[in-house]
Amino acid sequence: MHGTAARPPAGRVSTTAATAAATTLDELDLALVNALQLAPRAPWSQLAGPLGVDAATLSRRWSRLRDSGAAWVTCYSAAGQVVFGSLAFVEVTCAPQAREPLAARLAAQPHAVSVELVAGSCDLLLTVAAASTRMMSDFVLSLARYPEITGTRTHLVQRLHQEGSQWRLDALSREQQRDLEPDVSGSADRILNADERALMLLLAEDGRRPVAALAARLGRPESTVRRLLAGVLGGGKATLRCEAAHLHAGWRSTATLWMAAPPTELDAAAEELTLLRDTRLSASVASEANLAAVVWMHGMDDLSRYEARVGAKFPALRVLNRAVTLRWVKRMGRLLDEEGRSVECVPMDVWRPVPTP
């Protein structure tokens, strides 16, 4: 899959081993990723001023980061498109020798948008998205057909308080960030139609793909594609997200916490979590736990400090379980190598019927 002579399957993009050099991201790399977190499709000329670097240099930097899998821009349905029952975290237990091959099989499915090998009460943790509650049910029930799986536990998301596209590296100063603040006036008042879904799946492969290239892939005039882009992105129906290989960006550990908060304090606790620097995701869930947080840390010692800060603010909140990530196999549609670099894209086509394993 990674050789220079190999071609990725249709609908997927991949990097090559020759370009996947392991290197820590430098200050300009981190600043560029931070800028693209704020303005993922901004032209290089717009980013040149805030970053203090000419447009040609930024273009070359991004090409290197993208081609090596060290950073990428993807696209998926916005939180406003998510209804209760169409997003879930699924804990999976399996035979020890089956963990990695099973993770690879599940990661090939578009509905399993993220797959992690974890330490804790389960072996794998899946983030599952579907176009409807019926399709979510189909996916969860399909897991029973995998002979390697010995058990599952599903946590349906009731409300997303924060998700990964809202998290920032903070490599830029406040002044630089203000220059790139996005327009958040749009709202997702309609569901994505078929044309918009097709566009979104192309942006999932490369969120910075030029309009001309999008038009060629879709077989539509550029003027039509510009209108679709305005409706999908400006209308708040899809989210662009710039990611970086977390290990090379200084985030050495990640974990998911399952917590129980008194119902009267649930929303306040969930919103408070969004204010903590290490919180990547905060969600109310329907299970024994009613609150989940995905936490990114510079080291494992940070996890106890994170829990202490949360406990000091909400003494009645209890941590019920922890899933510490051993390795990310897939994150939001991107297959990752052991260094966290993107090696292949499986577009998050959550409208596709759930396959039978």
Side-chain angles (χ1 to χ4, degrees), residues 38 173-181:
L38 293 163
S173 68
R174 291 181 182 273
E175 292 73 18
Q176 289 172 306
Q177 292 185 49
R178 276 199 295 268
D179 290 340
L180 296 168
E181 279 299 325

Side-chain angles (χ1 to χ4, degrees), residues 80-83 131 188-194 196-197 237 351:
Q81 298 278 316
V82 177
V83 298
D189 56 351
R190 294 185 298 109
I191 61 172
L192 290 156
N193 61 39
E196 291 169 333
R197 293 200 299 265
K237 290 189 281 188
W351 301 271

Side-chain angles (χ1 to χ4, degrees), residues 275-357:
L275 303 178
L276 297 180
R277 176 72 184 91
D278 297 341
T279 303
R280 283 268 293 190
L281 178 145
S282 172
S284 306
V285 295
S287 63
E288 179 185 2
N290 59 6
L291 182 60
V294 176
V295 185
W296 280 29
M297 302 159 286
H298 294 295
M300 277 304 301
D301 289 348
D302 292 337
L303 185 57
S304 59
R305 287 191 283 268
Y306 180 90
E307 292 185 24
R309 292 198 301 273
V310 174
K313 185 69 176 180
F314 292 95
L317 186 146
R318 294 180 298 119
V319 176
L320 302 181
N321 199 3
R322 304 162 186 84
V324 178
T325 309
L326 299 173
R327 182 160 71 86
W328 284 89
V329 176
K330 182 182 185 183
R331 183 161 73 242
M332 293 307 290
R334 293 285 174 146
L335 302 183
L336 307 180
D337 67 12
E338 293 185 359
E339 293 292 326
R341 295 180 298 250
S342 171
V343 295
E344 193 170 316
C345 174
V346 182
M348 293 167 278
D349 189 357
V350 299
W351 301 271
R352 184 186 302 179
V354 175
T356 301

Side-chain angles (χ1 to χ4, degrees), residues 6 15 36 131 211 213 230 238 248 298 329:
T15 60
L36 291 176
V211 170
H248 297 288
H298 294 295
V329 176

Side-chain angles (χ1 to χ4, degrees), residues 218-230:
L218 293 171
R220 307 294 291 275
E222 290 187 26
S223 58
T224 300
V225 172
R226 291 185 190 279
R227 287 196 297 272
L228 285 173
L229 276 171

